[in-house]
Amino acid sequence: MSEVADADWMHGRPEWWRSTAGQPPTKSHGVFGKKLDEGREVSPVPEQFHWELSPPDLWELADKRKGGTGWMRQRFKPPARSILLPCSWSAFFLLSTSIPLALPGRTPNDQGAAAILFFCTWGLLLIPAWMTQNEMPRGRGWLIGKQTLVFFSLGTILFTLHILINPLLGWISYALFCMAWFSQIRRFQDGFRAASNRWLLPFNQSNWDGNILEENWDIVSIKWRNGPLAKHSIHPGLELHGTNRGKDRFIAFHNHGPEGWLNDPFTNQLKSNQIHNYLTTAPIRIQGEKWPDRFLQKIEFDESE
């Protein structure tokens, strides 16, 4: 991998955040003429966003530009950016589902048209979210919430009964499907309450041993592997995973929320969360290996500042 790609793998790409994304030219003189609007250059990803916090003092941290040994935050693409547009379209299709049924005879097959719109609604809601969740480390939690399943199940039962008993049950069924959709949107919002980051420590796999774990951490794999290595005995969302980038290996510290999304515990959104009581020290007792230069963040500063 190239140096730039490895740095972006650690610290994120500017286009993931609007504040750093820049802006292309909006006006030009003719097709080949001189551009009148030069746009705005992409700003570098900051070393620390205002919503990001540093771990407690007992954690040894590496410098993002100079390296050294210690833990470093790895940023993932904010999942909301990938699913916001599909979720908006799913709302449109959900509302459109009722039109062929409320105004019958306007399509060749009202029931078929409603079914297609209905499946588009849930496909746009769940498939992009599932794909986005698979782009980052998976942990505990379920993509679809219990409330969503309850409303959806009740809606399915009443939809079946409306054919046999009373057509009015179909509208109650539709209302339940709307409630299921809203419940799932709320679940997404809860899952995105904190940034999707994790913490990495360069590691020599030969040093992996349960004896290096801090208090309240239980080993789940004696053998080093890419995957779960240890979990917290009190807080179920905290895990240690093995991972690699090329020939470099890392211990990754994960915090997975009940909604299944990766949540950085050291953020303003989780500042008052009970999870911080278990993170006064780093999960392992050794400092790890030195960070390779290709993973460091390249930020140039104005000498006049």
Coordinates of all heavy atoms in Angstrom, one line a residue, residues 216-266:
N216 N -10.1 -7.2 34.7 CA -11.5 -7.3 34.1 C -11.5 -7.6 32.6 O -12.5 -7.6 31.9 CB -12.3 -6.0 34.3 CG -12.5 -5.7 35.7 OD1 -12.8 -6.6 36.5 ND2 -12.5 -4.5 36.1
W217 N -10.3 -8.0 32.1 CA -10.3 -8.5 30.7 C -10.0 -10.0 30.7 O -9.2 -10.5 31.4 CB -9.1 -7.8 29.9 CG -9.5 -6.4 29.6 CD1 -9.2 -5.3 30.3 CD2 -10.2 -6.0 28.4 NE1 -9.7 -4.2 29.6 CE2 -10.3 -4.5 28.4 CE3 -10.7 -6.6 27.3 CZ2 -10.9 -3.8 27.5 CZ3 -11.3 -5.9 26.3 CH2 -11.4 -4.5 26.4
D218 N -10.8 -10.7 29.9 CA -10.7 -12.2 29.8 C -10.3 -12.6 28.4 O -10.9 -12.1 27.4 CB -12.1 -12.8 30.1 CG -12.6 -12.6 31.5 OD1 -11.7 -12.4 32.4 OD2 -13.8 -12.5 31.7
I219 N -9.3 -13.4 28.3 CA -8.8 -13.9 27.0 C -9.9 -14.9 26.4 O -10.5 -15.7 27.1 CB -7.4 -14.6 27.1 CG1 -6.8 -14.8 25.8 CG2 -7.5 -15.9 27.9 CD1 -5.3 -15.2 25.8
V220 N -10.1 -14.7 25.1 CA -11.0 -15.6 24.4 C -10.3 -16.4 23.3 O -10.8 -17.4 22.7 CB -12.2 -14.8 23.7 CG1 -13.0 -14.2 24.8 CG2 -11.7 -13.8 22.7
S221 N -9.0 -16.1 23.0 CA -8.2 -16.8 22.0 C -6.8 -16.8 22.5 O -6.1 -15.8 22.5 CB -8.3 -16.2 20.6 OG -7.5 -16.9 19.7
I222 N -6.3 -18.0 22.9 CA -4.9 -18.1 23.3 C -4.0 -17.9 22.1 O -2.9 -17.3 22.3 CB -4.7 -19.5 23.9 CG1 -5.5 -19.7 25.2 CG2 -3.2 -19.7 24.3 CD1 -5.4 -21.1 25.8
K223 N -4.4 -18.3 21.0 CA -3.6 -18.2 19.8 C -3.9 -16.8 19.1 O -5.1 -16.4 19.0 CB -3.9 -19.3 18.8 CG -3.0 -19.3 17.6 CD -3.4 -20.5 16.7 CE -2.5 -20.5 15.4 NZ -2.8 -21.7 14.5
W224 N -2.9 -16.2 18.6 CA -3.1 -14.9 17.9 C -3.8 -15.1 16.6 O -3.6 -16.1 15.9 CB -1.7 -14.3 17.6 CG -1.9 -13.0 16.8 CD1 -1.9 -12.9 15.4 CD2 -2.0 -11.7 17.2 NE1 -2.0 -11.6 15.0 CE2 -2.2 -10.8 16.1 CE3 -2.1 -11.1 18.5 CZ2 -2.3 -9.5 16.2 CZ3 -2.3 -9.8 18.6 CH2 -2.4 -8.9 17.5
R225 N -4.8 -14.2 16.3 CA -5.5 -14.3 15.1 C -6.1 -13.0 14.7 O -6.1 -12.0 15.5 CB -6.7 -15.3 15.3 CG -7.7 -14.8 16.4 CD -8.9 -15.8 16.5 NE -9.8 -15.4 17.6 CZ -11.0 -16.0 17.8 NH1 -11.4 -17.0 17.0 NH2 -11.8 -15.5 18.8
N226 N -6.5 -12.9 13.5 CA -7.3 -11.7 13.1 C -8.7 -11.9 13.5 O -9.5 -12.6 12.8 CB -7.2 -11.5 11.5 CG -5.9 -10.8 11.2 OD1 -5.0 -10.5 12.0 ND2 -5.6 -10.7 9.9
G227 N -9.1 -11.3 14.5 CA -10.4 -11.5 15.1 C -10.4 -11.3 16.6 O -9.4 -10.8 17.2
P228 N -11.5 -11.6 17.3 CA -11.6 -11.4 18.7 C -10.5 -12.1 19.5 O -10.2 -13.3 19.3 CB -13.0 -12.0 19.1 CG -13.7 -11.9 17.8 CD -12.7 -12.2 16.7
L229 N -9.8 -11.4 20.4 CA -8.8 -12.0 21.3 C -9.2 -12.0 22.7 O -8.8 -12.9 23.5 CB -7.5 -11.2 21.1 CG -6.8 -11.2 19.7 CD1 -5.6 -10.3 19.7 CD2 -6.4 -12.6 19.3
A230 N -9.9 -10.9 23.2 CA -10.2 -10.8 24.6 C -11.5 -9.9 24.6 O -11.8 -9.1 23.7 CB -9.1 -10.2 25.4
K231 N -12.2 -10.1 25.7 CA -13.4 -9.2 26.0 C -13.4 -8.8 27.4 O -12.8 -9.4 28.3 CB -14.7 -10.0 25.6 CG -14.9 -11.3 26.5 CD -16.2 -12.0 26.0 CE -16.5 -13.2 26.9 NZ -17.7 -13.9 26.5
H232 N -14.1 -7.7 27.6 CA -14.2 -7.2 29.0 C -15.3 -8.0 29.8 O -16.3 -8.4 29.3 CB -14.7 -5.7 28.9 CG -14.3 -4.9 30.2 ND1 -15.2 -4.9 31.3 CD2 -13.2 -4.2 30.5 CE1 -14.6 -4.1 32.2 NE2 -13.5 -3.7 31.8
S233 N -14.9 -8.3 31.0 CA -15.8 -9.2 31.8 C -17.0 -8.5 32.4 O -18.0 -9.2 32.8 CB -15.0 -9.8 33.0 OG -14.5 -8.8 33.8
I234 N -17.0 -7.2 32.4 CA -18.1 -6.4 32.9 C -18.9 -5.7 31.8 O -20.2 -5.9 31.8 CB -17.7 -5.4 34.0 CG1 -16.9 -6.1 35.1 CG2 -18.8 -4.6 34.5 CD1 -16.3 -5.2 36.1
H235 N -18.3 -5.0 31.0 CA -18.9 -4.3 29.9 C -18.9 -5.1 28.6 O -17.8 -5.3 28.0 CB -18.3 -2.9 29.7 CG -19.1 -2.0 28.9 ND1 -19.4 -2.2 27.5 CD2 -19.8 -0.9 29.3 CE1 -20.2 -1.2 27.1 NE2 -20.5 -0.4 28.1
P236 N -20.0 -5.6 28.1 CA -20.0 -6.6 27.0 C -19.6 -5.9 25.7 O -19.3 -6.6 24.7 CB -21.5 -7.0 26.9 CG -22.3 -5.9 27.5 CD -21.4 -5.4 28.6
G237 N -19.6 -4.6 25.6 CA -19.3 -4.0 24.3 C -17.8 -3.8 24.0 O -17.4 -3.5 22.9
L238 N -17.0 -4.0 25.1 CA -15.5 -3.8 24.9 C -14.8 -5.1 24.5 O -15.0 -6.1 25.2 CB -15.0 -3.3 26.3 CG -15.6 -2.0 26.8 CD1 -14.9 -1.6 28.1 CD2 -15.4 -0.9 25.8
E239 N -14.0 -5.0 23.5 CA -13.3 -6.1 23.0 C -11.9 -5.8 22.5 O -11.7 -4.6 22.1 CB -14.1 -6.8 21.8 CG -15.5 -7.3 22.2 CD -16.2 -7.9 21.0 OE1 -15.7 -7.7 19.8 OE2 -17.3 -8.4 21.1
L240 N -11.0 -6.7 22.4 CA -9.7 -6.6 21.8 C -9.7 -7.6 20.6 O -10.1 -8.7 20.7 CB -8.6 -6.9 22.8 CG -8.4 -6.0 23.9 CD1 -7.2 -6.5 24.8 CD2 -8.1 -4.6 23.5
H241 N -9.3 -7.0 19.5 CA -9.2 -7.8 18.3 C -7.8 -7.8 17.7 O -7.1 -6.8 17.9 CB -10.2 -7.3 17.2 CG -11.6 -7.7 17.4 ND1 -12.4 -8.2 16.5 CD2 -12.3 -7.6 18.5 CE1 -13.6 -8.4 17.0 NE2 -13.6 -8.0 18.2
G242 N -7.4 -8.8 17.0 CA -6.2 -8.8 16.2 C -6.5 -8.4 14.8 O -7.5 -8.7 14.3
T243 N -5.6 -7.5 14.2 CA -5.8 -7.1 12.9 C -4.5 -6.8 12.2 O -3.5 -6.8 12.9 CB -6.7 -5.8 12.8 OG1 -7.1 -5.5 11.5 CG2 -6.0 -4.6 13.4
N244 N -4.5 -6.6 10.9 CA -3.2 -6.3 10.3 C -3.4 -5.4 9.1 O -4.5 -5.3 8.5 CB -2.5 -7.6 9.8 CG -3.2 -8.3 8.6 OD1 -4.3 -8.9 8.8 ND2 -2.7 -8.1 7.4
R245 N -2.4 -4.8 8.7 CA -2.4 -3.9 7.5 C -1.0 -4.3 6.8 O 0.0 -3.9 7.2 CB -2.4 -2.5 7.8 CG -2.2 -1.5 6.7 CD -3.5 -1.4 5.8 NE -3.4 -0.2 5.0 CZ -4.3 0.1 4.0 NH1 -5.4 -0.6 3.9 NH2 -4.1 1.2 3.3
G246 N -1.1 -5.1 5.7 CA 0.1 -5.5 5.1 C 0.8 -6.5 6.1 O 0.2 -7.4 6.6
K247 N 2.1 -6.2 6.3 CA 2.9 -7.0 7.2 C 2.8 -6.6 8.7 O 3.4 -7.2 9.6 CB 4.4 -7.1 6.8 CG 4.6 -7.7 5.4 CD 6.0 -7.7 5.0 CE 6.2 -8.4 3.7 NZ 7.7 -8.4 3.3
D248 N 2.2 -5.4 8.9 CA 2.1 -4.9 10.3 C 0.9 -5.4 11.0 O -0.2 -5.4 10.4 CB 2.1 -3.3 10.2 CG 3.3 -2.7 9.7 OD1 4.4 -2.9 10.3 OD2 3.3 -2.2 8.6
R249 N 1.1 -5.8 12.2 CA 0.0 -6.3 13.0 C -0.3 -5.4 14.2 O 0.5 -4.7 14.7 CB 0.4 -7.7 13.6 CG 0.4 -8.8 12.5 CD 0.8 -10.1 13.0 NE 0.6 -11.2 12.0 CZ 1.4 -11.5 11.0 NH1 2.6 -10.8 11.0 NH2 1.2 -12.4 10.2
F250 N -1.6 -5.4 14.6 CA -2.1 -4.5 15.6 C -3.0 -5.2 16.5 O -3.7 -6.2 16.2 CB -2.8 -3.3 15.0 CG -2.1 -2.5 13.9 CD1 -2.1 -2.9 12.6 CD2 -1.3 -1.4 14.3 CE1 -1.4 -2.2 11.6 CE2 -0.6 -0.7 13.3 CZ -0.7 -1.1 12.0
I251 N -3.1 -4.7 17.8 CA -4.2 -5.0 18.7 C -5.1 -3.9 18.5 O -4.8 -2.7 18.6 CB -3.7 -5.2 20.1 CG1 -3.1 -6.6 20.4 CG2 -4.9 -4.9 21.1 CD1 -2.8 -6.9 21.8
A252 N -6.4 -4.2 18.3 CA -7.4 -3.2 18.1 C -8.4 -3.2 19.3 O -8.9 -4.3 19.7 CB -8.2 -3.4 16.8
F253 N -8.6 -2.0 19.9 CA -9.6 -1.9 21.0 C -10.9 -1.4 20.4 O -11.0 -0.3 19.8 CB -9.0 -0.9 22.0 CG -10.0 -0.5 23.0 CD1 -10.7 -1.4 23.9 CD2 -10.4 0.9 23.1 CE1 -11.6 -0.9 24.8 CE2 -11.3 1.3 24.0 CZ -12.0 0.4 24.8
H254 N -11.9 -2.2 20.6 CA -13.3 -1.9 20.0 C -14.3 -1.6 21.2 O -14.2 -2.2 22.2 CB -13.8 -3.1 19.2 CG -13.0 -3.4 18.0 ND1 -13.4 -4.5 17.2 CD2 -12.0 -2.8 17.4 CE1 -12.5 -4.6 16.2 NE2 -11.7 -3.6 16.3
N255 N -15.2 -0.7 20.9 CA -16.4 -0.6 21.7 C -17.6 -0.6 20.8 O -17.8 0.2 19.9 CB -16.4 0.8 22.4 CG -17.7 1.0 23.1 OD1 -18.2 0.1 23.8 ND2 -18.2 2.2 23.0
H256 N -18.4 -1.7 20.9 CA -19.5 -1.9 20.0 C -20.8 -1.6 20.9 O -21.0 -2.2 21.9 CB -19.6 -3.3 19.5 CG -18.5 -3.6 18.5 ND1 -18.7 -3.3 17.2 CD2 -17.3 -4.3 18.6 CE1 -17.6 -3.7 16.5 NE2 -16.8 -4.3 17.4
G257 N -21.6 -0.7 20.3 CA -22.9 -0.4 21.0 C -23.9 -1.5 20.8 O -23.7 -2.4 19.9
P258 N -25.0 -1.5 21.5 CA -26.0 -2.5 21.4 C -26.7 -2.5 20.0 O -27.3 -3.5 19.6 CB -27.1 -2.2 22.4 CG -26.8 -0.8 22.8 CD -25.4 -0.5 22.5
E259 N -26.5 -1.5 19.2 CA -27.1 -1.4 17.9 C -26.2 -2.0 16.8 O -26.5 -2.1 15.6 CB -27.4 0.1 17.5 CG -28.4 0.8 18.4 CD -27.7 1.3 19.6 OE1 -26.5 1.4 19.7 OE2 -28.5 1.7 20.6
G260 N -25.0 -2.5 17.3 CA -24.1 -3.2 16.4 C -23.0 -2.3 15.7 O -22.1 -2.8 15.1
W261 N -23.1 -1.0 16.0 CA -22.1 -0.1 15.4 C -20.9 0.1 16.3 O -21.0 0.1 17.5 CB -22.8 1.3 15.0 CG -23.9 1.2 14.1 CD1 -25.2 1.0 14.5 CD2 -23.9 1.1 12.7 NE1 -26.0 0.9 13.3 CE2 -25.2 1.0 12.2 CE3 -22.9 1.1 11.8 CZ2 -25.5 0.9 10.9 CZ3 -23.2 1.1 10.4 CH2 -24.5 0.9 10.0
L262 N -19.8 0.4 15.6 CA -18.5 0.7 16.3 C -18.6 2.1 16.9 O -18.9 3.1 16.1 CB -17.4 0.6 15.4 CG -15.9 0.6 15.9 CD1 -15.7 -0.6 16.8 CD2 -14.9 0.7 14.8
N263 N -18.4 2.3 18.2 CA -18.5 3.6 18.8 C -17.2 3.9 19.6 O -16.8 3.1 20.5 CB -19.7 3.7 19.8 CG -21.1 3.7 19.2 OD1 -22.0 3.3 19.8 ND2 -21.1 4.1 17.9
D264 N -16.6 5.0 19.3 CA -15.4 5.5 20.0 C -15.8 5.9 21.4 O -16.6 6.8 21.5 CB -14.7 6.6 19.2 CG -13.4 7.0 19.8 OD1 -13.1 6.6 21.0 OD2 -12.7 7.7 19.2
P265 N -15.3 5.2 22.5 CA -15.8 5.6 23.8 C -15.2 7.0 24.2 O -15.8 7.6 25.1 CB -15.2 4.5 24.7 CG -14.0 4.0 24.0 CD -14.4 4.1 22.5
F266 N -14.1 7.4 23.6 CA -13.5 8.7 24.0 C -14.0 9.8 23.1 O -13.3 10.4 22.3 CB -12.0 8.6 24.0 CG -11.5 7.5 24.9 CD1 -10.8 6.4 24.3 CD2 -11.7 7.6 26.2 CE1 -10.3 5.4 25.1 CE2 -11.2 6.6 27.1 CZ -10.5 5.5 26.5

